[in-house]
Amino acid sequence: MRRSTSYLDRRATARMPWRMPVVLMYHNFGEPIIGADPEHLFIKVDTFRAHLELLRKDGWHALTLDQFLAALDGAPTPRKSYLLTIDDGHESVARVAAPILAEKGIPSVLFVPPAVLGGPVTWNPVYSAERLSSPAEIATLVGTSMEIGVHGWDHTRMRGMDDDLLRLNIVRARDEVAAMTGARPRSFAYPYGTHDEAARRVMAEAGYAVAFAVAREHGLFAVDRVFVKGTESPALFRFKLTMAYRFASRVAGRTPWLRHRVRAAVQLLSGRQDTGDLSTVASR
Ligand SMILES: [Zn+2]
């Protein structure tokens, strides 16, 4: 009976269940090389450790991707469960975050754009001094609790692409990551979190198990995530784990004219801090 009502059975046509695990999205760790971080993408080491400690103390269970997918399929899962995801493959992930996650035994998924690995950040000039891990460095993460997924071909926005470009970003990118890691990726995160019907269709045809978006939830191939920023207080981090925040994020994601009102309400509730993931995702 449980399977007949599970999310996976309804696949991409269904909205995500409200009680699904929280999916956290991180980017960079430690201190920015140039000292500037206007989008608050860097999470200081102490802050990252504090997040993981807060999750543990509050009774949150870290899931592997297998456990996350099983939860969507109706498997019994603790009510407070989360999947930790990281976008882009910045060098600080392997250097800073991976050892901390390994030390604590916390599983995660890292999404990388294979065509630009080993070089500078090409999609945002403010961060062009930051380097992405090389394919060889990404390969060193294989066998740790960090699973590798795909983040497009070269971090180009995928909304509006024709099918040939979509296949480059979805299928060929997966082949490149598979060659790098020796394992076929089964998860994807859209660059900038943006997607459209064609992107979700090609994703499903390609056989991915799941694809992640940001604030624009649309079924299994555009699962919403919580964008974690480096400047947020512990109180705001905790608020972002709640059902109230999930509701606000979904409403804002579906209803553009409501977005700034929902964002203002969340800011009021959470101490007037930046909650930019409820508006346009500018440069991730
Ligand atoms: Zn990205």
Short mmCIF file of all heavy atoms in Angstrom, two decimals, residues 154-215:
data_model
loop_
_atom_site.label_atom_id
_atom_site.label_comp_id
_atom_site.label_asym_id
_atom_site.label_seq_id
_atom_site.Cartn_x
_atom_site.Cartn_y
_atom_site.Cartn_z
N ASP A 154 29.34 22.87 -18.39
CA ASP A 154 30.28 23.94 -18.06
C ASP A 154 29.62 25.05 -17.23
O ASP A 154 30.06 26.19 -17.27
CB ASP A 154 30.88 24.53 -19.34
CG ASP A 154 29.81 25.10 -20.26
OD1 ASP A 154 28.61 25.00 -19.92
OD2 ASP A 154 30.15 25.63 -21.33
N HIS A 155 28.58 24.69 -16.52
CA HIS A 155 27.86 25.63 -15.64
C HIS A 155 27.08 26.69 -16.41
O HIS A 155 26.89 27.81 -15.95
CB HIS A 155 28.80 26.29 -14.63
CG HIS A 155 28.11 26.70 -13.35
ND1 HIS A 155 27.33 27.82 -13.25
CD2 HIS A 155 28.06 26.11 -12.12
CE1 HIS A 155 26.85 27.91 -12.01
NE2 HIS A 155 27.27 26.88 -11.32
N THR A 156 26.60 26.34 -17.61
CA THR A 156 25.72 27.25 -18.36
C THR A 156 24.28 27.06 -17.89
O THR A 156 23.86 25.94 -17.59
CB THR A 156 25.80 26.94 -19.87
OG1 THR A 156 27.14 27.12 -20.30
CG2 THR A 156 24.89 27.86 -20.68
N ARG A 157 23.57 28.18 -17.85
CA ARG A 157 22.15 28.13 -17.46
C ARG A 157 21.39 27.27 -18.48
O ARG A 157 21.52 27.47 -19.68
CB ARG A 157 21.60 29.57 -17.47
CG ARG A 157 20.26 29.75 -16.84
CD ARG A 157 19.86 31.23 -16.92
NE ARG A 157 20.78 32.09 -16.19
CZ ARG A 157 20.65 32.39 -14.89
NH1 ARG A 157 19.61 31.93 -14.22
NH2 ARG A 157 21.52 33.17 -14.29
N MET A 158 20.58 26.33 -18.04
CA MET A 158 19.98 25.35 -18.94
C MET A 158 18.57 25.69 -19.41
O MET A 158 18.03 25.03 -20.28
CB MET A 158 20.01 23.97 -18.29
CG MET A 158 21.42 23.41 -18.21
SD MET A 158 21.57 21.97 -17.12
CE MET A 158 20.52 20.80 -17.97
N ARG A 159 17.99 26.70 -18.84
CA ARG A 159 16.64 27.08 -19.24
C ARG A 159 16.67 27.57 -20.70
O ARG A 159 17.49 28.42 -21.05
CB ARG A 159 16.16 28.19 -18.32
CG ARG A 159 14.68 28.48 -18.36
CD ARG A 159 14.39 29.62 -17.39
NE ARG A 159 12.99 30.02 -17.47
CZ ARG A 159 12.04 29.50 -16.72
NH1 ARG A 159 12.33 28.60 -15.82
NH2 ARG A 159 10.79 29.90 -16.85
N GLY A 160 15.78 27.02 -21.56
CA GLY A 160 15.71 27.47 -22.95
C GLY A 160 16.65 26.75 -23.90
O GLY A 160 16.68 27.07 -25.09
N MET A 161 17.42 25.79 -23.44
CA MET A 161 18.33 25.05 -24.32
C MET A 161 17.56 24.12 -25.25
O MET A 161 16.52 23.58 -24.88
CB MET A 161 19.30 24.20 -23.48
CG MET A 161 20.45 24.96 -22.88
SD MET A 161 21.56 23.82 -22.00
CE MET A 161 22.85 24.97 -21.52
N ASP A 162 18.12 23.90 -26.49
CA ASP A 162 17.52 22.88 -27.35
C ASP A 162 18.00 21.50 -26.89
O ASP A 162 18.85 21.39 -26.00
CB ASP A 162 17.85 23.14 -28.83
CG ASP A 162 19.33 23.05 -29.13
OD1 ASP A 162 20.07 22.37 -28.38
OD2 ASP A 162 19.77 23.66 -30.13
N ASP A 163 17.46 20.46 -27.53
CA ASP A 163 17.74 19.11 -27.04
C ASP A 163 19.20 18.72 -27.17
O ASP A 163 19.74 18.00 -26.33
CB ASP A 163 16.85 18.07 -27.75
CG ASP A 163 15.46 18.00 -27.11
OD1 ASP A 163 15.09 18.95 -26.40
OD2 ASP A 163 14.77 16.99 -27.33
N ASP A 164 19.88 19.20 -28.24
CA ASP A 164 21.30 18.86 -28.40
C ASP A 164 22.12 19.43 -27.24
O ASP A 164 22.99 18.75 -26.69
CB ASP A 164 21.83 19.41 -29.73
CG ASP A 164 21.38 18.57 -30.91
OD1 ASP A 164 20.88 17.45 -30.67
OD2 ASP A 164 21.52 19.03 -32.06
N LEU A 165 21.85 20.68 -26.89
CA LEU A 165 22.58 21.29 -25.78
C LEU A 165 22.22 20.63 -24.45
O LEU A 165 23.07 20.44 -23.59
CB LEU A 165 22.28 22.80 -25.71
CG LEU A 165 23.21 23.71 -26.52
CD1 LEU A 165 22.73 25.15 -26.42
CD2 LEU A 165 24.65 23.59 -26.02
N LEU A 166 20.95 20.28 -24.31
CA LEU A 166 20.54 19.61 -23.08
C LEU A 166 21.27 18.28 -22.94
O LEU A 166 21.73 17.93 -21.85
CB LEU A 166 19.03 19.39 -23.06
CG LEU A 166 18.19 20.65 -22.81
CD1 LEU A 166 16.71 20.36 -23.02
CD2 LEU A 166 18.43 21.18 -21.39
N ARG A 167 21.42 17.55 -24.05
CA ARG A 167 22.12 16.26 -23.96
C ARG A 167 23.60 16.44 -23.65
O ARG A 167 24.20 15.62 -22.96
CB ARG A 167 21.91 15.45 -25.24
CG ARG A 167 20.56 14.71 -25.23
CD ARG A 167 20.44 13.73 -26.39
NE ARG A 167 20.14 14.40 -27.64
CZ ARG A 167 18.90 14.67 -28.06
NH1 ARG A 167 17.86 14.28 -27.34
NH2 ARG A 167 18.71 15.29 -29.19
N LEU A 168 24.20 17.52 -24.15
CA LEU A 168 25.59 17.81 -23.78
C LEU A 168 25.71 18.00 -22.27
O LEU A 168 26.60 17.46 -21.62
CB LEU A 168 26.07 19.09 -24.50
CG LEU A 168 27.41 19.66 -24.02
CD1 LEU A 168 28.57 18.73 -24.37
CD2 LEU A 168 27.65 21.06 -24.64
N ASN A 169 24.78 18.77 -21.72
CA ASN A 169 24.82 19.12 -20.29
C ASN A 169 24.38 17.99 -19.37
O ASN A 169 24.78 17.95 -18.21
CB ASN A 169 23.93 20.35 -20.04
CG ASN A 169 24.64 21.63 -20.43
OD1 ASN A 169 25.31 22.23 -19.61
ND2 ASN A 169 24.53 22.02 -21.70
N ILE A 170 23.55 17.10 -19.89
CA ILE A 170 22.96 16.05 -19.05
C ILE A 170 23.61 14.69 -19.29
O ILE A 170 23.97 13.99 -18.34
CB ILE A 170 21.43 16.00 -19.30
CG1 ILE A 170 20.78 17.29 -18.79
CG2 ILE A 170 20.81 14.77 -18.64
CD1 ILE A 170 19.32 17.48 -19.19
N VAL A 171 23.79 14.33 -20.56
CA VAL A 171 24.30 12.98 -20.88
C VAL A 171 25.82 12.98 -21.03
O VAL A 171 26.51 12.20 -20.38
CB VAL A 171 23.63 12.45 -22.17
CG1 VAL A 171 24.17 11.06 -22.51
CG2 VAL A 171 22.11 12.40 -21.99
N ARG A 172 26.35 13.89 -21.88
CA ARG A 172 27.80 13.87 -22.07
C ARG A 172 28.52 14.26 -20.78
O ARG A 172 29.57 13.71 -20.45
CB ARG A 172 28.21 14.80 -23.21
CG ARG A 172 29.67 14.64 -23.53
CD ARG A 172 30.12 15.33 -24.79
NE ARG A 172 31.58 15.39 -24.82
CZ ARG A 172 32.28 16.26 -25.52
NH1 ARG A 172 31.65 17.15 -26.28
NH2 ARG A 172 33.59 16.26 -25.47
N ALA A 173 27.94 15.20 -20.06
CA ALA A 173 28.56 15.60 -18.78
C ALA A 173 28.60 14.41 -17.83
O ALA A 173 29.59 14.20 -17.12
CB ALA A 173 27.76 16.75 -18.16
N ARG A 174 27.55 13.61 -17.83
CA ARG A 174 27.53 12.42 -16.97
C ARG A 174 28.62 11.43 -17.39
O ARG A 174 29.30 10.85 -16.54
CB ARG A 174 26.16 11.73 -17.03
CG ARG A 174 26.12 10.46 -16.20
CD ARG A 174 24.75 9.84 -16.17
NE ARG A 174 24.31 9.44 -17.49
CZ ARG A 174 23.08 9.00 -17.77
NH1 ARG A 174 22.18 8.94 -16.80
NH2 ARG A 174 22.74 8.66 -18.99
N ASP A 175 28.79 11.26 -18.73
CA ASP A 175 29.84 10.33 -19.22
C ASP A 175 31.22 10.81 -18.77
O ASP A 175 32.07 9.99 -18.40
CB ASP A 175 29.79 10.23 -20.74
CG ASP A 175 28.51 9.56 -21.24
OD1 ASP A 175 27.82 8.92 -20.42
OD2 ASP A 175 28.20 9.70 -22.44
N GLU A 176 31.44 12.12 -18.81
CA GLU A 176 32.73 12.68 -18.39
C GLU A 176 32.97 12.43 -16.90
O GLU A 176 34.08 12.06 -16.49
CB GLU A 176 32.77 14.19 -18.66
CG GLU A 176 32.91 14.56 -20.10
CD GLU A 176 34.32 14.31 -20.64
OE1 GLU A 176 35.29 14.62 -19.92
OE2 GLU A 176 34.43 13.80 -21.78
N VAL A 177 31.96 12.65 -16.11
CA VAL A 177 32.12 12.44 -14.66
C VAL A 177 32.31 10.95 -14.37
O VAL A 177 33.12 10.57 -13.52
CB VAL A 177 30.90 13.02 -13.88
CG1 VAL A 177 31.02 12.69 -12.39
CG2 VAL A 177 30.82 14.53 -14.08
N ALA A 178 31.62 10.11 -15.12
CA ALA A 178 31.77 8.66 -14.94
C ALA A 178 33.20 8.23 -15.26
O ALA A 178 33.79 7.41 -14.55
CB ALA A 178 30.78 7.91 -15.81
N ALA A 179 33.78 8.81 -16.32
CA ALA A 179 35.15 8.46 -16.70
C ALA A 179 36.13 8.91 -15.61
O ALA A 179 37.16 8.28 -15.37
CB ALA A 179 35.49 9.13 -18.03
N MET A 180 35.79 10.00 -14.95
CA MET A 180 36.63 10.58 -13.90
C MET A 180 36.58 9.77 -12.61
O MET A 180 37.58 9.59 -11.92
CB MET A 180 36.04 12.00 -13.66
CG MET A 180 36.74 12.94 -12.79
SD MET A 180 35.67 14.45 -12.68
CE MET A 180 35.39 14.92 -14.37
N THR A 181 35.40 9.26 -12.28
CA THR A 181 35.20 8.64 -10.98
C THR A 181 35.08 7.12 -11.03
O THR A 181 35.17 6.45 -10.00
CB THR A 181 33.91 9.17 -10.32
OG1 THR A 181 32.79 8.80 -11.15
CG2 THR A 181 33.94 10.68 -10.17
N GLY A 182 34.80 6.58 -12.22
CA GLY A 182 34.59 5.13 -12.34
C GLY A 182 33.20 4.69 -11.92
O GLY A 182 32.92 3.50 -11.84
N ALA A 183 32.33 5.66 -11.67
CA ALA A 183 30.94 5.32 -11.29
C ALA A 183 29.99 6.23 -12.06
O ALA A 183 30.27 7.41 -12.26
CB ALA A 183 30.75 5.52 -9.79
N ARG A 184 28.88 5.69 -12.51
CA ARG A 184 27.92 6.48 -13.28
C ARG A 184 27.08 7.34 -12.35
O ARG A 184 26.34 6.82 -11.50
CB ARG A 184 27.01 5.53 -14.06
CG ARG A 184 26.15 6.22 -15.08
CD ARG A 184 25.10 5.22 -15.60
NE ARG A 184 24.57 5.65 -16.88
CZ ARG A 184 23.31 5.38 -17.25
NH1 ARG A 184 22.52 4.69 -16.48
NH2 ARG A 184 22.88 5.80 -18.42
N PRO A 185 27.18 8.67 -12.48
CA PRO A 185 26.38 9.53 -11.60
C PRO A 185 24.88 9.30 -11.81
O PRO A 185 24.45 9.03 -12.93
CB PRO A 185 26.77 10.94 -12.04
CG PRO A 185 28.08 10.80 -12.71
CD PRO A 185 28.04 9.45 -13.37
N ARG A 186 24.13 9.41 -10.74
CA ARG A 186 22.68 9.23 -10.85
C ARG A 186 21.92 10.44 -10.36
O ARG A 186 20.69 10.43 -10.27
CB ARG A 186 22.24 8.00 -10.07
CG ARG A 186 22.57 8.10 -8.58
CD ARG A 186 23.07 6.78 -8.05
NE ARG A 186 23.45 6.92 -6.66
CZ ARG A 186 22.82 6.27 -5.67
NH1 ARG A 186 21.81 5.49 -5.93
NH2 ARG A 186 23.23 6.41 -4.44
N SER A 187 22.64 11.50 -9.99
CA SER A 187 21.97 12.71 -9.51
C SER A 187 22.55 13.93 -10.22
O SER A 187 23.70 13.92 -10.68
CB SER A 187 22.13 12.85 -8.00
OG SER A 187 23.50 12.90 -7.64
N PHE A 188 21.75 14.99 -10.26
CA PHE A 188 22.09 16.19 -11.04
C PHE A 188 21.62 17.41 -10.25
O PHE A 188 20.63 17.36 -9.53
CB PHE A 188 21.33 16.12 -12.37
CG PHE A 188 21.74 17.14 -13.40
CD1 PHE A 188 22.62 16.79 -14.42
CD2 PHE A 188 21.25 18.43 -13.36
CE1 PHE A 188 23.00 17.71 -15.39
CE2 PHE A 188 21.63 19.37 -14.32
CZ PHE A 188 22.50 19.00 -15.34
N ALA A 189 22.35 18.52 -10.38
CA ALA A 189 21.88 19.80 -9.85
C ALA A 189 22.00 20.83 -10.96
O ALA A 189 23.06 20.98 -11.56
CB ALA A 189 22.71 20.23 -8.65
N TYR A 190 20.90 21.53 -11.26
CA TYR A 190 20.91 22.53 -12.33
C TYR A 190 21.76 23.73 -11.94
O TYR A 190 21.59 24.28 -10.84
CB TYR A 190 19.49 23.04 -12.59
CG TYR A 190 18.52 21.99 -13.05
CD1 TYR A 190 17.64 21.40 -12.15
CD2 TYR A 190 18.48 21.58 -14.38
CE1 TYR A 190 16.74 20.42 -12.57
CE2 TYR A 190 17.59 20.60 -14.80
CZ TYR A 190 16.72 20.02 -13.89
OH TYR A 190 15.85 19.06 -14.30
N PRO A 191 22.69 24.16 -12.83
CA PRO A 191 23.40 25.41 -12.56
C PRO A 191 22.40 26.55 -12.35
O PRO A 191 21.41 26.65 -13.09
CB PRO A 191 24.22 25.62 -13.84
CG PRO A 191 24.40 24.24 -14.41
CD PRO A 191 23.12 23.52 -14.08
N TYR A 192 22.61 27.36 -11.37
CA TYR A 192 21.72 28.47 -10.99
C TYR A 192 20.36 27.97 -10.49
O TYR A 192 19.47 28.77 -10.23
CB TYR A 192 21.48 29.45 -12.15
CG TYR A 192 22.73 29.95 -12.81
CD1 TYR A 192 23.26 29.28 -13.90
CD2 TYR A 192 23.41 31.06 -12.32
CE1 TYR A 192 24.43 29.72 -14.51
CE2 TYR A 192 24.58 31.51 -12.92
CZ TYR A 192 25.09 30.82 -14.02
OH TYR A 192 26.23 31.25 -14.62
N GLY A 193 20.20 26.67 -10.42
CA GLY A 193 18.92 26.12 -9.97
C GLY A 193 17.80 26.20 -11.00
O GLY A 193 16.67 25.81 -10.70
N THR A 194 18.10 26.69 -12.21
CA THR A 194 17.02 26.96 -13.17
C THR A 194 16.85 25.81 -14.15
O THR A 194 17.82 25.18 -14.57
CB THR A 194 17.26 28.26 -13.94
OG1 THR A 194 18.50 28.15 -14.65
CG2 THR A 194 17.32 29.45 -13.01
N HIS A 195 15.61 25.59 -14.56
CA HIS A 195 15.28 24.45 -15.42
C HIS A 195 14.00 24.78 -16.16
O HIS A 195 13.33 25.78 -15.87
CB HIS A 195 15.09 23.20 -14.57
CG HIS A 195 14.11 23.40 -13.45
ND1 HIS A 195 12.76 23.22 -13.59
CD2 HIS A 195 14.30 23.84 -12.17
CE1 HIS A 195 12.15 23.51 -12.45
NE2 HIS A 195 13.06 23.90 -11.57
N ASP A 196 13.65 23.96 -17.13
CA ASP A 196 12.34 24.09 -17.79
C ASP A 196 11.84 22.69 -18.13
O ASP A 196 12.49 21.69 -17.81
CB ASP A 196 12.41 25.01 -19.02
CG ASP A 196 13.41 24.53 -20.06
OD1 ASP A 196 13.85 23.35 -19.98
OD2 ASP A 196 13.75 25.32 -20.96
N GLU A 197 10.69 22.63 -18.81
CA GLU A 197 10.06 21.33 -19.07
C GLU A 197 11.00 20.46 -19.91
O GLU A 197 11.12 19.25 -19.65
CB GLU A 197 8.72 21.56 -19.78
CG GLU A 197 7.87 20.33 -19.93
CD GLU A 197 8.29 19.43 -21.10
OE1 GLU A 197 8.81 19.97 -22.10
OE2 GLU A 197 8.12 18.19 -20.99
N ALA A 198 11.66 21.05 -20.91
CA ALA A 198 12.54 20.26 -21.78
C ALA A 198 13.71 19.68 -20.99
O ALA A 198 14.09 18.52 -21.18
CB ALA A 198 13.04 21.12 -22.93
N ALA A 199 14.28 20.47 -20.11
CA ALA A 199 15.41 20.00 -19.30
C ALA A 199 14.97 18.84 -18.41
O ALA A 199 15.67 17.83 -18.30
CB ALA A 199 15.96 21.14 -18.45
N ARG A 200 13.81 18.97 -17.80
CA ARG A 200 13.31 17.90 -16.92
C ARG A 200 13.00 16.64 -17.73
O ARG A 200 13.24 15.52 -17.27
CB ARG A 200 12.07 18.37 -16.16
CG ARG A 200 12.34 19.56 -15.23
CD ARG A 200 11.16 19.84 -14.31
NE ARG A 200 9.93 20.16 -15.01
CZ ARG A 200 9.57 21.38 -15.40
NH1 ARG A 200 10.35 22.42 -15.16
NH2 ARG A 200 8.42 21.58 -16.02
N ARG A 201 12.50 16.81 -18.97
CA ARG A 201 12.20 15.66 -19.81
C ARG A 201 13.47 14.91 -20.20
O ARG A 201 13.55 13.68 -20.08
CB ARG A 201 11.45 16.12 -21.08
CG ARG A 201 11.26 15.02 -22.12
CD ARG A 201 10.45 15.49 -23.33
NE ARG A 201 10.92 16.77 -23.87
CZ ARG A 201 12.00 16.89 -24.66
NH1 ARG A 201 12.72 15.84 -24.97
NH2 ARG A 201 12.34 18.09 -25.12
N VAL A 202 14.50 15.65 -20.67
CA VAL A 202 15.76 15.00 -21.06
C VAL A 202 16.40 14.33 -19.84
O VAL A 202 16.99 13.25 -19.94
CB VAL A 202 16.70 16.01 -21.73
CG1 VAL A 202 18.08 15.39 -21.99
CG2 VAL A 202 16.10 16.52 -23.03
N MET A 203 16.26 14.95 -18.68
CA MET A 203 16.79 14.37 -17.44
C MET A 203 16.14 13.01 -17.17
O MET A 203 16.82 12.03 -16.85
CB MET A 203 16.50 15.33 -16.28
CG MET A 203 17.31 15.08 -15.05
SD MET A 203 19.03 15.54 -15.26
CE MET A 203 18.88 17.30 -15.56
N ALA A 204 14.82 12.96 -17.33
CA ALA A 204 14.10 11.70 -17.09
C ALA A 204 14.50 10.66 -18.13
O ALA A 204 14.76 9.50 -17.80
CB ALA A 204 12.60 11.96 -17.13
N GLU A 205 14.58 11.08 -19.39
CA GLU A 205 14.94 10.14 -20.47
C GLU A 205 16.36 9.58 -20.26
O GLU A 205 16.64 8.44 -20.61
CB GLU A 205 14.87 10.85 -21.83
CG GLU A 205 13.46 11.19 -22.28
CD GLU A 205 13.43 12.14 -23.47
OE1 GLU A 205 14.52 12.58 -23.94
OE2 GLU A 205 12.32 12.46 -23.92
N ALA A 206 17.23 10.40 -19.70
CA ALA A 206 18.63 9.99 -19.52
C ALA A 206 18.78 8.97 -18.38
O ALA A 206 19.85 8.38 -18.23
CB ALA A 206 19.50 11.21 -19.24
N GLY A 207 17.75 8.81 -17.58
CA GLY A 207 17.78 7.79 -16.54
C GLY A 207 18.35 8.24 -15.20
O GLY A 207 18.72 7.41 -14.38
N TYR A 208 18.42 9.54 -14.99
CA TYR A 208 18.83 10.02 -13.66
C TYR A 208 17.79 9.61 -12.62
O TYR A 208 16.60 9.51 -12.91
CB TYR A 208 18.96 11.55 -13.65
CG TYR A 208 20.27 12.06 -14.20
CD1 TYR A 208 20.43 12.29 -15.56
CD2 TYR A 208 21.34 12.31 -13.35
CE1 TYR A 208 21.63 12.75 -16.08
CE2 TYR A 208 22.54 12.78 -13.85
CZ TYR A 208 22.68 13.01 -15.21
OH TYR A 208 23.87 13.46 -15.70
N ALA A 209 18.26 9.42 -11.40
CA ALA A 209 17.35 9.08 -10.31
C ALA A 209 16.66 10.33 -9.76
O ALA A 209 15.51 10.27 -9.31
CB ALA A 209 18.10 8.38 -9.18
N VAL A 210 17.37 11.47 -9.81
CA VAL A 210 16.82 12.69 -9.22
C VAL A 210 17.62 13.89 -9.73
O VAL A 210 18.81 13.75 -10.07
CB VAL A 210 16.89 12.62 -7.66
CG1 VAL A 210 18.33 12.57 -7.16
CG2 VAL A 210 16.14 13.75 -6.99
N ALA A 211 16.97 15.05 -9.83
CA ALA A 211 17.67 16.30 -10.15
C ALA A 211 17.21 17.38 -9.17
O ALA A 211 16.03 17.43 -8.80
CB ALA A 211 17.39 16.74 -11.59
N PHE A 212 18.16 18.24 -8.76
CA PHE A 212 17.87 19.25 -7.76
C PHE A 212 17.86 20.65 -8.36
O PHE A 212 18.68 20.97 -9.23
CB PHE A 212 18.91 19.19 -6.64
CG PHE A 212 18.84 17.90 -5.86
CD1 PHE A 212 19.68 16.83 -6.18
CD2 PHE A 212 17.92 17.75 -4.84
CE1 PHE A 212 19.61 15.64 -5.48
CE2 PHE A 212 17.84 16.55 -4.12
CZ PHE A 212 18.69 15.50 -4.45
N ALA A 213 16.94 21.48 -7.86
CA ALA A 213 16.82 22.87 -8.28
C ALA A 213 17.05 23.75 -7.05
O ALA A 213 17.63 23.31 -6.06
CB ALA A 213 15.43 23.09 -8.88
N VAL A 214 16.61 25.00 -7.14
CA VAL A 214 16.62 25.89 -5.98
C VAL A 214 15.36 26.73 -6.04
O VAL A 214 15.20 27.53 -6.96
CB VAL A 214 17.84 26.84 -5.98
CG1 VAL A 214 17.93 27.59 -4.64
CG2 VAL A 214 19.12 26.11 -6.26
N ALA A 215 14.48 26.54 -5.08
CA ALA A 215 13.29 27.39 -4.92
C ALA A 215 12.31 27.30 -6.09
O ALA A 215 11.40 28.08 -6.18
CB ALA A 215 13.67 28.85 -4.69
#
